[in-house]
Amino acid sequence: MKSNQFDAIVVGSGISGGWAAKELCEKGLKTLVLERGRDVQHLKDYPTMTAAPWEMPHRNQIPRADKLENPVVNRCYAYKEDTEHFFVKDSEHPYVQEKPFDWVRGYQVGGKSLIWARQTQRWSKYDFEGPGRDGFAVDWPIRYADVAPWYSYVERFVGISGSYEGLETLPDGEFLKAWEMNCVEKEIQQRIKAAYDDRDVIIGRCAHLTEPKEVHLEQGRGQCMARNQCYRGCPFGGYFSSNSSTLPTAAKTGNLTIRPDSVVHSLIYDDQKGKVTGVRVVDRVTKESSEYFSEVIFLNASALNTNLILLNSTSKRFPNGLGNDSGVLGKYIAFHNYRGSINASYEGFDDKFYFGRRPTAVMMPNFRNVKKQEMDFMRGYMTFYTAGRAGVGHADTPFGAEFKEANSKPGPWSVYMMMQGETIPKETNHVSLSPDQQDEWGVPLLQINVGYDENDEKILNDFHEQGVEMLTKAGCVNIRKGDSKQSPGLDIHEMGGVRMGRDPKTSLLNGFNQMHLAPNVFVTDGACMTSTGTQNPSITYMALTARAVDYAVKEMKKGNLK
């Protein structure tokens, strides 16, 4: 037991787990990070980071056999031959779809921080106030002012490119140099702003080092080269990941122990002591069981896996899952609605082009139901668009001189617009444990029952209506609406199930991400979210994690977590 005793245990090594490890280690705690997947080290374990398509057996395509065997992960935009080693195969990690749900996972040290889309927008005061104001979910126990300094804290370390706009709906942060819009994107921006008083169009904010500062160079990271090969693992450290940033920083303290291949079965609740004392682990390779003990535990296994672990953490005191007297554990799961898209053409600007492969889009903060409920649906959506030109090989002409001439010039301009809609957490959207099916490590399979509702359809319709109107006023032609009809989950923004709140009767966590009924357990990944907002969520997870660690360590020093 002594060799398995630590000051703190972190379950999961992705974006929030890496931050928990960094903060705990820097505050002097001997910290164990448990990761269910294999070890992946920065640079050393990025096998395709500089590979050309012709150096890959299938020219960066996925063979048909893999598509048939693993249909869920094959629907993910980032899953290709050069990245497949960072994704979970459906056939190796099954789950039960009570409703269609595409659960995209990355089981390795670094988790999905190696394959995330890296878009980072702060929440506004309206997002934290929304549930309490509009009467859905439960009231957030925190407000923007509580999180704002922690947004700044993590942004400085991560490195966020963005422009200062002074918007209430999308607060400014600590920014590096912003990426630039191209000429057509600027034209669309100017026309939309001229046509609408309530719509702001700005360049996207993303975790890419456009101008590395000393804090980034100290991490061993360098400038983003706009290669568009991010999901392979970045050899420059130009984008933020646990592997290139937080985990190496934690290791420098001498306080970090990482144990890969550690499938967490459950948390150990000691009925006699009346507290959680540790974690049960099954070795991924040998299937041997072991236990690890600590004063404080941070759950960062990703939203649905954190729900699974807590549901499986049963005891005499908590027969329905750890801390689950309220019965809301696993319920009120939400996600982002990505179904809507619009394609269009843009005429003119034939003498203009652009440089590189910019890692972000142009974005519009939500403009629906912002300051009050005013539509026939609740909440709203962010809008993103890009403009580009088809490159070499675009022209469909016969071979010979005509083909060569046609493909020596860039093609026409096209425009793509998409939505990121907020969904309303509902009790009926839930996860549970299978009563009769287990994985090969003896953990019950997760049953997922999450779907769209009428509100989601109304948001989709409004995006289509407003998007077509905006692009028409912006001068686009040949405008075509699209509905992917994709299942929930493919957004990879699942949230909730272990939500924060003010009342233990309706929530699992307090305003510091601390479990109401198990005070030495903290949850700071997507499971903690009370609502989803319309923004990409990762920077909020990071800020909440740093804030929660600061609180937890202070409580430990006071003796309040014993």
Side-chain angles (χ1 to χ4, degrees), residues 16 20 298-300 512-513 522-526 528 541 544-545 548:
S16 63
F298 271 71
L299 269 181
N300 302 91
F512 288 97
N513 297 78
F522 292 77
V523 176
T524 63
D525 62 12
C528 78
Y541 301 164
L544 291 176
T545 300

Side-chain angles (χ1 to χ4, degrees), residues 138-139 141 326 328 499-510 516:
V138 294
D139 190 22
S326 63
V328 299
R499 67 184 181 185
M500 298 171 71
R502 302 178 186 276
D503 187 347
K505 294 180 181 179
T506 57
S507 62
L508 277 295
L509 310 173
N510 67 14
H516 292 302

Side-chain angles (χ1 to χ4, degrees), residues 97-162:
Q97 298 184 57
E98 295 183 338
K99 291 181 180 178
F101 189 93
D102 291 340
W103 192 10
V104 179
R105 293 158 287 173
Y107 292 164
Q108 63 262 326
V109 169
K112 294 197 295 291
S113 78
L114 288 168
I115 50 176
W116 67 308
R118 308 165 308 283
Q119 304 307 297
T120 48
Q121 311 102 20
R122 291 189 181 198
W123 278 33
S124 74
K125 65 180 182 179
Y126 302 112
D127 298 295
F128 288 102
E129 295 168 0
R133 185 195 75 188
D134 294 339
F136 68 95
V138 294
D139 190 22
W140 276 89
I142 55 176
R143 291 294 186 262
Y144 176 72
D146 298 309
V147 189
W150 295 101
Y151 275 132
S152 293
Y153 178 74
V154 301
E155 286 164 346
R156 286 191 290 266
F157 189 84
V158 168
I160 307 297
S161 64

Side-chain angles (χ1 to χ4, degrees), residues 80 182 210 221 240 244 268 274 294 306 398 409-410:
K80 294 182 180 178
N182 62 43
T210 50
R221 299 169 60 200
F240 171 82
S244 66
I268 302 167
S294 68
T306 288
K409 303 173 184 177

